Amino acid sequence: MSQRFVVTPAGGGVENPDPAAAPDPPRVDAMPILHYGREPSRYAGDGQSRESSPIINNGDMERESFFEGKNMALFEEEMDSNPMVSSLLNKLANYTNLSQGVVEHEEAEESRRREVKNPGMGTFIGVYLPCLQNILGVILFLRLTWIVGVAGVLESFLIVFMCCTCTMLTAISMSAIATNGVVPAGGSYYMISRSLGPEFGGAVGLCFYLGTTFAGAMYILGTIEIFLTYISPGASIIHAQSPEGEAVAMLHNMRVYGTCTLVLMAMVVFVGVKYVNKLALVFLACVVLSILAIYAGVIKTAFDPPDIPVCLLGNRTLSRRNFDVCAKVLTTNNGTVTTALWGLFCNNSMPSAICDEYFAQNNLTEIQGIPGVASGVFLDNLWSVYTDKGVFVEKQGTPSVPVPEESRSSKLPYVLTDIMTYFTMLVGIYFPSVTGIMAGSNRSGDLRDAQKSIPTGTILAIVTTSFIYLSCIMLFGACIEGVILRDKFGEALQGNLVIGMLAWPSPWVIVIGSFFSTCGAGLQSLTGAPRLLQAIARDGIVPFLQVFGHGKANGEPTWALLLTALICEIGILIASLDSVAPILSMFFLMCYMFVNLACAVQTLLRTPNWRPRFRYYHWTLSFLGMSLCLALMFICSWYYALFAMLIAGCIYKYIEYRGAEKEWGDGIRGLSLNAARYALLRVEHGTLHTKNWRPQVLVMLNLDSEQCVKHPRLLSFTTQLKAGKGLTIVGSVLEGTYLDKHAEAQQAEENIRSLMGIEKTKGFCQLVVSSNLRDGMSHLIQSAGLGGMKHNTVLMAWPESWKEEDNPFSWKNFVDTVRDTTAAQQALLVAKNVDLFPQNQERFSDGHIDVWWIVHDGGLLMLLPFLLRQHKVWRKCRMRIFTVAQVDDNSIQMKKDLQTFLYHLRISAEVEVVEMVENDISAFTYEKTLVMEQRSQMLKQMQLSKTEREREAQLIHDRNTASHSVVAARTRAPPTPDKVQMTWTKEKLIAEKLKNKDANMSGFKDLFSLKPNQSNVRRMHTAVKLNGVVLNKSQDAQLVLLNMPGPPKNRQGDENYMEFLEVLTEGLNRVLLVRGSGREVITIYS
C-alpha cells in the first residue's frame, strides 16, 4: 500500500511557494505532526525543502538561516554529528547512505549509490534459481552414476546425505548472518570478515576465491570431457601411438582444449558481464530440461525398458568401441565365420587361431544395461565395489573360469578402472556438486527483500537439490546394471554417456544440456571470482593485493580477471576432473566451516547487534555444521586439508602482521573481550602467589609542549624488562581541564601509542587530564588497570631539572609520588640518566649488571637483573651482587650465606661483601650538609624577586659545584685516614666560617651562621660513604641497581631527600633506584 506523508505545523497553515514573499513564520507552540513522505530528497517537516538542510548543505550562512527561530535550535550545534531523524530515514529509505557501523562500506559505495536503486528481484528469480543453477552441474551428469556403481546405493546415499547436511547447516548459519543487517556485495567474504574480523575474513575470503577459481577449472574440464568423449571423439588433436598411451593423450587434449576454452571464456567475461547474465537463464533451462529428461527416462523404464545390450566375457565387461556383435563366431549359409571380437582376442581370424586363454575358456553373454525399475537390479547395487587402478569391471555373481597368471594387456577390449577407488576419495569428488549455496547471498543488493529471500530461497534450493541427488541415487541403483554404473566413460555403451542412455526422449538431451550447463557454470565462476578478489583488495587488508582492486572505468576487475585466469590455468593443466574436485572441496569446506563458526560465536556472545530476522538457528547447529565441515575436509584428503589450512594460516598471520588495520566490530574481538572478562574475574578472587609475581609496570612518561615524549628510552627499558610478558600501562598527565585539553590529550595519546609501536612495547596507554600534575599522577597510581590486572610497580625517570628555578615543584611531585607508591604497597623503579640507557637495537657484548643490596625489601633487586638478561640487549652481561657488612658482621659467613641463597634462587651471580667501617663524619660531609640546608632555607625564607632569586640561587649553585669537584678529586685519590676520617672540632668550624666569610656576600651572614641538623649530617654521611664505595666498585658497570631510601616522614625535609639521592648516585652512568613494595616477590621453593 502506498503511503505519503507531509509535515505541517499543528497550528495549520499552507506552505508558501515563494519564500521571499512569505511573512515571518508563525510561532508553533505544539509538536509538529509528522506526515512522512517517501520522496527521494525531501521531508517537509520543517516547512523547508531538504536541499537547504544543513545535512545536505553545510555552509555556515545556510545553517544560520535554517535554524534561526526554529524549534530544533536547541540541537543546532550537534547537527554535524547527530543528524535529524528525518534526514537519517531519508538516506536509509533511498539507499543513499548507511548509518554508523558500516563506515568503511559507506566510503567504498558512496559514489555508486548516488542514483536511487529500485531492486526488484524476488525469492524465486533472485535466489532460488541461481542457487539451483550453481548446485546442479558437472558432477551430476558425469560422475554420479559412477559413484553409485562404485560405492553402492547405501554408501552413495550416505555420501550425499553427509554433504547435503553440511550445506543445509551452513545455509542456516548463513541465513542468520545474512539477515542480521544489510549484506552488501561480497557474499560469504563480507559475512565472515565482518563477523570474525579481517584476519579470518581475508584468509577465508582468499580460500573461497581459490575454490571458486578451481571450480571454474573443473567446469571447463567437464565441458571438454563431454565434448571429446561424447560429442566429437574425432576432434582430438593429440593421438596415442599405442593403446597404453590413450589416457595420456586424452589428458594432453584436455589441456589444449581447456586452455583455449579458458581464453575464450575470459574474453567473454572481459567484454561484458551482461552477456553472461543474459545467458544464465539459457544455461539454467538446459539443466532443468536435462533433469526432467532423466526422470522421464526412469518412468519409461518401468513399462518399456530400452534395449541397450552389454557384452560380457565370463563376468568381465567388454568395451564395444571396436566390435558390434557380441559373439565369437557367426553361423552363415557358407558356414562358421569368426567375428571382429575373435580378431581382437586371437592372433588371426581362422577358427584354428591361438586365442587368449580366458577368451577360450569363458563364454560370451549379453545382458541389458538398463533393465528398468521393476527388474530387481536394485538389490545387486546396494553394496560397494572398491577396486585398484587397472582392474576389470566385473559383474558380481556371474560364473567365470579363472586363468592363472594372466597378463592384462591393454590391447584387449576390456573395460578397466582408471583410478583406485575408496570411500573418502568419492566424498572429495562428489562434494563440489553441493557447492553454490552462496549464489543468493552474493546478489543481496539486487533483491527486493534480501532478509526474507536469502533464507527462503537458499534453503528451498538445498532441499530441492538434495531431493534430486538422493532420488537419482535410488533410481540409478534401481534402473541401471552395476557394470554399466562402474563404467565411467560408457565404453560398454559404445562410448555413450551412461546417464544419457537412461534419459528420454534422446541421449542428446543430456549431452547437449550438460555441455551448456557446464559452460555456463564455468562462465559464472570466471565472473564471480575476480569480483570476490576485487572486494578483498579494496578492503585493503592484504597490502600486496591492492593492485587487483583496480579495473576498467566501469569497475570491471581487469587485473583480478587476469590473475583468476592464470590460477584457473593451473587447474586445467592438472587435466583430471577427479584430481581437481578434491582441491576445490577443501577451499569450499573451509569457507563453510568459518560461516558456521561466525554464527556460533555471534550467538554465544549474545552481542547487542546480533538480531537476525531468521529465527530458526541455534549455536549447536552451527557447531555441528562446523564439525561436519572439518570432518569432511579430512575425510576427502587429509594432506589437501592440511595444505589448505596451512595456506589459510599463512594468510591469517600475514594479515595480522602487515594489514588488518580495520575495525569491523567482529565476533573474535567480542570473544576476546568475553575471555578477558572471564579471566579478570578469575584473577580478582585470589591473591597472587609469590611464584606468579612479575612486575606489572605503570610507566610514568613526561610530555613536552608539543605532546611528545621527553624520554623515549624509558619505553625501551620497559620493553627490555618486560619482554612482552605481563601487564604494561604507559601513563602520562596533562595539566588543565579535560574540556579544554581533550584535543591535546588525543594527540598525546596518539604520540605515545606510536612510540610504543616503535619501541615494541606491548601494553595499554592511559592518559589523564588533571588540574595539576601532582593529582594526576596520584590518580594514575590509584586507578590505572582493571580488577586483577592492576600494576604493582611504577617506573619513572629521575627529575633531572629538580634544582632549576623554572621548575620549583618537580622535586615535590617526585617525592609525593614516592610516598603514593609506598602507601599503595607498590614497588618503585627510578631510572637516573635514562637518556643514556640502551635502545632495543643495541647489544652489550660484555659488562656487568651490579646490584647493591643494602636492605631487603622483598627481593625485587634480585629479580630485575634476571628479567633484564632475558632480553638480547643485556643477555651477555654478567650479574654481580654487592652487600654491605657493618663492623660487627662476619663478612666471610655473609658471603657464604649469600651464595647459598642465590643457589637456591637459581640465579647465577658473582658475590662480594663490602666492609664499611665506622668513620667520623668528615669535614666535607659537614660542609655539604651545611650548603644543602643553606640553599633550602634561602629559597624558603627569603622573599626575593625572580631576578634576585636566580642570582642568589646561582651563587649557591657555584658553591655546590665547587664542593662536587672536591668530592670527585677525593674519590679519585687513594683514601687516607687524615683526609677521609677527619674529626670535626669547634676550632675547625670557626676556621671554616672565617674562610668562607670573605667569599660570600654580606647579605648572607645570617644564613651561613646556621648550624646543620645532626640527622641530616648523618644521612649525608651515609650517602657520601655509599657513593664512594659504589663508585670504587661499579663505575664501569653497564647498569647499577641500588636500594632507594624512603622519603622522610617529616615533609619539611623533602628537598634535602632529593639532595641525598643526588649525592648517593653521583658519578654513575646508568642507575636504577629500586624501592620494593614490602612483599616477597622471589622464592626459593618450586
Side-chain angles (χ1 to χ4, degrees), residues 924 927-928 931 958-968 1066:
F924 170 72
E927 176 193 2
K928 198 164 185 64
V931 171
D958 293 341
R959 285 176 48 80
N960 215 1
T961 303
S963 64
H964 285 189
S965 60
V966 172
V967 71
E1066 193 170 12

Side-chain angles (χ1 to χ4, degrees), residues 147 158-160 162-164 166 419-435 578-590 592 627-645:
I147 291 173
L158 177 62
I159 291 172
V160 174
M162 276 197 311
C163 296
C164 292
C166 175
I419 57 173
M420 184 174 68
T421 52
Y422 43 91
F423 178 80
T424 56
M425 185 208 69
L426 296 181
V427 176
I429 291 175
Y430 173 75
F431 187 81
S433 65
V434 296
T435 59
D578 301 325
S579 300
V580 174
I583 297 175
L584 64 104
S585 294
M586 292 300 113
F587 293 124
F588 278 120
L589 279 167
M590 184 170 291
Y592 295 166
S627 304
L628 190 55
C629 288
L630 187 62
L632 284 173
M633 285 178 68
F634 283 92
I635 286 173
C636 293
S637 174
W638 64 268
Y639 46 88
Y640 276 166
L642 291 178
F643 184 68
M645 294 173 79

Side-chain angles (χ1 to χ4, degrees), residues 701-703 708-716 719 730 748-761 839-840:
L701 294 181
N702 294 324
L703 304 176
C708 293
V709 178
K710 283 185 179 179
H711 303 294
R713 299 287 181 96
L714 200 60
L715 282 181
S716 304
T719 303
V730 181
E749 194 164 342
E750 288 179 9
N751 293 341
I752 293 174
R753 289 186 193 280
S754 174
L755 184 61
M756 289 173 67
I758 295 171
E759 299 293 344
K760 298 181 181 179
T761 305
Q839 291 182 315
N840 292 327

Side-chain angles (χ1 to χ4, degrees), residues 588-616:
F588 278 120
L589 279 167
M590 184 170 291
C591 177
Y592 295 166
M593 180 176 70
F594 280 99
V595 169
N596 285 297
L597 176 63
C599 180
V601 166
Q602 298 277 28
T603 306
L604 288 175
L605 290 179
R606 298 177 182 174
T607 51
N609 192 52
W610 180 246
R611 303 184 301 275
R613 291 189 178 277
F614 181 77
R615 298 293 180 186
Y616 306 103

